[in-house]
Amino acid sequence: MDFAPDSPQARCLSEGRPVLEPVLPPDWLSTQGHQGAHAPDLGVHSLIGVPLAARGMVLGVMTLWRSRRPDPFEADDLTLAQELASRAAVAIDNARRFTQQQQTAFTLQSSLLPRAVPDQPAVEVALRYLPASAAPGLGGDWFDVIPLSGARVALVVGDVVGRGIHAAATMGRLRTAVHTLASLDLEPDELLSRLDDMVNLLAVEQEAAGERPVGEQVVGATCLYAVYDPVSRRCSVARAGHPPPVVTTPDGHVAPLDLPAGPPLGLGGLPFEAREVELAEGSLLCLYTNGVIGERHLDPDAGLSKLCAALTRPADALERTCQAVVDSLVPSRPSDDVALLIARTRTLPRDDVASWQLPPEPASAARARALTSAKLTEWGLEHLAFTTELIASELVTNVYRYAGGPATLRLIRERTLVCEVSDTSHTSPRLRRARTTDEGGRGLFLVAQMAERWGARYTREGKTVWTEQSLTGMLT
């Protein structure tokens, strides 16, 4: 609203003090420009204007008119108006600050969540994130889809304890930590153990700094971490105090995965357990947070049953299935954040995977080169033969020299060419720059130069050293 410079409201705002006009001139309404819905009754004869001021800031002006009673406003009325304006200003400023904090937390959380998930050879994915619309503010729900070596993929869903900006910031730190730990190709239970240590460090850090965030202090979280391999169709899952995933088989059978619950992150010192299951091609794996099944008006068991009922049609379009879950379980104004991830499993064709076991002898390197060259010729990837032969030969030689057991050579053709060599040793491969007088020590250096990416992952049986090359790459 615009007020004329000589109006009581303008004087009230400019001077920052209340204005009492016991008797208004007869033509005051026409000179002040009041129109439409903001125009007072034509019989108005007395006015009070009080600035709405809170915490050193003038937010607006409150105007009171009197028209039906003939008596003018008096000093007592002005005192009452000032008390009303003072209380109203504090309430308005609180609402403004809360809205600003909510918007900041939402912006922060949205920027930390994955905006787009690239298409994965292992799974087809549909995602939903819905922020809470009720006080005390946004939570720290998150999800992620992380590509791993060997065409595998990690699916993650988590929920941070607490509300507001601190929960959103902690969620971002945990998501970054999961990415870092996932790059080490850790087993799901070991990854959660490392994440548990980090949450404990965050809690100690907050306590030492004397921080007391608005709402609950962030001292813990829940998380579910799953790794799916499209070659073996095996899925390894572990959870830390998080609801169990729901699996839908291709024939429509739906059931929560029987999985040890594990303690929430942040308790410290308690073990996590992983379970490995085999999933048929076309199965649905549904990961979610408490907001999907744990609304206040809904019993969690009833919510889980409704979730299973919404996942009984695995052949439907995945986006449609994801929306059906939201429509069935999530109210229009959820009281808790909602994170939902549904993945449909895929399987790599057998023709795109080749595996051989080689004995621990010097001749195995030459055998690895011959097998690699023949398979790449069959796949039409002759332009990668030289580099891949060198990679396979060096990795197999390292097994012969340092591991002492048989080596398993595997080639995977998907969006990249993956070359893997597995052995029974847990000795960590180390990249170093050999001196000019050294006779060896250049194997991994050459491998790293030839491949786009390389790394090692460990299992209970040993380790696997892997490399990735672009299918269109050319030797230069």
Side-chain angles (χ1 to χ4, degrees), residues 339-418:
L340 176 65
L341 187 158
I342 303 178
R344 177 180 285 124
T345 60
R346 295 169 174 165
T347 303
L348 290 184
R350 291 187 177 182
D351 294 341
D352 289 340
V353 182
S355 179
W356 307 275
Q357 189 164 6
L358 304 173
E361 59 186 31
S364 293
R367 175 66 175 160
R369 291 194 296 270
L371 293 171
T372 298
S373 178
K375 180 54 68 173
L376 293 183
T377 300
E378 179 185 334
W379 284 344
L381 300 175
E382 296 90 343
H383 58 284
L384 296 177
F386 180 82
T387 56
T388 311
E389 285 180 38
L390 177 60
I391 290 171
S393 175
E394 289 294 339
L395 296 182
V396 170
T397 299
N398 282 346
V399 173
Y400 165 69
R401 287 182 175 177
Y402 305 113
T408 301
L409 171 63
R410 186 169 75 164
L411 298 178
I412 302 175
R413 178 183 62 176
E414 39 115 9
R415 293 175 189 179
T416 60
L417 177 64
V418 179

Side-chain angles (χ1 to χ4, degrees), residues 124-420:
E124 176 191 357
V125 176
L127 305 167
R128 290 291 187 279
Y129 172 75
L130 301 173
S133 59
L138 291 172
D141 293 18
W142 92 92
F143 51 74
D144 225 327
V145 180
I146 307 172
L148 302 177
S149 62
R152 299 170 306 135
V153 66
L155 307 173
V156 194
V157 167
D159 186 358
V160 172
V161 175
R163 295 283 180 175
I165 296 176
H166 287 269
T170 302
M171 177 272 289
R173 298 174 75 173
L174 292 183
R175 180 173 176 248
T176 301
V178 170
H179 267 266
T180 302
L181 295 172
S183 67
L184 301 177
D185 277 312
L186 299 176
E187 294 290 326
D189 52 345
E190 185 178 355
L191 183 141
L192 291 181
S193 295
R194 302 280 186 90
L195 200 61
D196 181 55
D197 293 338
M198 179 184 171
V199 173
N200 284 323
L201 289 176
L202 290 178
V204 172
E205 182 181 292
Q206 285 189 350
E207 184 177 352
E211 295 180 2
R212 287 297 183 270
V214 177
E216 294 184 49
Q217 184 166 354
V218 179
V219 294
T222 66
C223 183
L224 188 145
Y225 186 83
V227 176
Y228 174 69
D229 187 346
V231 177
S232 64
R233 296 187 287 112
R234 305 290 295 179
C235 183
S236 182
V237 190
R239 61 180 176 136
H242 203 81
V246 175
V247 176
T248 305
T249 61
D251 59 4
H253 176 71
V254 187
L257 187 62
D258 185 14
L259 188 66
L265 299 173
L267 296 184
L270 299 176
F272 300 93
E273 297 182 52
R275 182 187 174 192
E276 191 172 75
V277 295
E278 185 172 328
L279 300 177
E281 184 176 9
S283 299
L284 297 185
L285 186 63
C286 179
L287 283 63
Y288 53 93
T289 57
N290 281 328
V292 175
I293 63 170
E295 279 290 326
R296 296 173 183 174
H297 65 277
L298 193 64
D299 179 72
D301 292 336
L304 188 58
S305 299
K306 292 186 68 174
L307 176 61
C308 292
L311 295 170
T312 55
R313 301 173 64 89
D316 285 355
L318 206 56
E319 286 293 334
R320 187 186 307 167
T321 301
C322 199
Q323 190 59 45
V325 172
V326 173
D327 294 341
S328 175
L329 284 97
V330 182
S332 58
R333 294 178 58 84
S335 61
D336 193 6
D337 287 15
V338 171
L340 176 65
L341 187 158
I342 303 178
R344 177 180 285 124
T345 60
R346 295 169 174 165
T347 303
L348 290 184
R350 291 187 177 182
D351 294 341
D352 289 340
V353 182
S355 179
W356 307 275
Q357 189 164 6
L358 304 173
E361 59 186 31
S364 293
R367 175 66 175 160
R369 291 194 296 270
L371 293 171
T372 298
S373 178
K375 180 54 68 173
L376 293 183
T377 300
E378 179 185 334
W379 284 344
L381 300 175
E382 296 90 343
H383 58 284
L384 296 177
F386 180 82
T387 56
T388 311
E389 285 180 38
L390 177 60
I391 290 171
S393 175
E394 289 294 339
L395 296 182
V396 170
T397 299
N398 282 346
V399 173
Y400 165 69
R401 287 182 175 177
Y402 305 113
T408 301
L409 171 63
R410 186 169 75 164
L411 298 178
I412 302 175
R413 178 183 62 176
E414 39 115 9
R415 293 175 189 179
T416 60
L417 177 64
V418 179
C419 177
E420 298 180 342

Side-chain angles (χ1 to χ4, degrees), residues 44-77:
V44 165
H45 59 84
S46 188
L47 177 145
I48 289 178
V50 184
L52 293 169
R55 300 180 177 97
M57 180 183 296
V58 178
L59 306 175
V61 60
M62 182 180 76
T63 307
L64 303 176
W65 293 278
R66 177 168 285 177
S67 61
R68 297 182 181 179
R69 293 181 58 184
D71 302 331
F73 283 126
E74 298 176 348
D76 290 343
D77 299 315

Side-chain angles (χ1 to χ4, degrees), residues 402-403 423 425-429 458 463:
Y402 305 113
D423 60 62
S425 170
H426 287 88
T427 303
S428 175
Y458 298 87
K463 71 174 182 298

